[in-house]
Amino acid sequence: METTRQRIADALREAPRTASDLAETLSLPTPTVYEHLEHVSQSVREGNDGSEGDADEEFLVAPPTCRECGFDGFDDPVNEPSRCPECKSERIEEPAFVIR
């Protein structure tokens, strides 16, 4: 039986996904998915996620983007910000994650 983190990593190897996508697919709260993503990203970097994946894998993040002004320089791309520091808009597109 796979752990939640292994299931997240497997899903990210298939296609880019947002935390909301993963939460819906795995029936988990979105904040919990973000916690798991932190650990999955570390496992991929260290090459010890327990899978048979390629040692040259990378955990990639398409950063959150403000839908109003296009700002994408958020400090922590693995979390979903609540508002844009540039224009203060709350219309933020979620970050997407993939393992390649």
Side-chain angles (χ1 to χ4, degrees):
M1 186 167 167
E2 286 186 316
T3 67
T4 300
R5 290 179 186 163
Q6 287 170 330
R7 292 182 3 216
I8 289 172
D10 289 344
L12 295 179
R13 287 183 181 100
E14 293 173 7
R17 314 246 181 176
T18 65
S20 294
D21 295 337
L22 292 166
E24 185 176 325
T25 302
L26 301 172
S27 300
L28 295 169
T30 303
T32 301
V33 171
Y34 276 111
E35 289 174 21
H36 286 301
L37 284 168
E38 285 284 344
H39 292 279
V40 170
S41 71
Q42 291 172 4
S43 295
V44 169
R45 278 193 302 255
E46 295 169 2
N48 64 359
D49 65 350
S51 73
E52 294 181 12
D54 187 353
D56 294 330
E57 287 183 324
E58 289 182 291
F59 182 88
L60 303 174
V61 180
T65 305
C66 176
R67 292 182 183 149
E68 293 293 320
C69 72
F71 179 80
D72 66 357
F74 293 94
D75 293 340
D76 185 2
V78 181
N79 284 314
E80 184 179 14
S82 59
R83 88 173 50 168
C84 175
E86 291 292 313
C87 70
K88 307 303 181 212
S89 170
E90 294 180 2
R91 297 186 62 223
I92 307 296
E93 191 169 319
E94 279 188 82
F97 309 93
V98 69
I99 295 175
R100 293 196 179 175

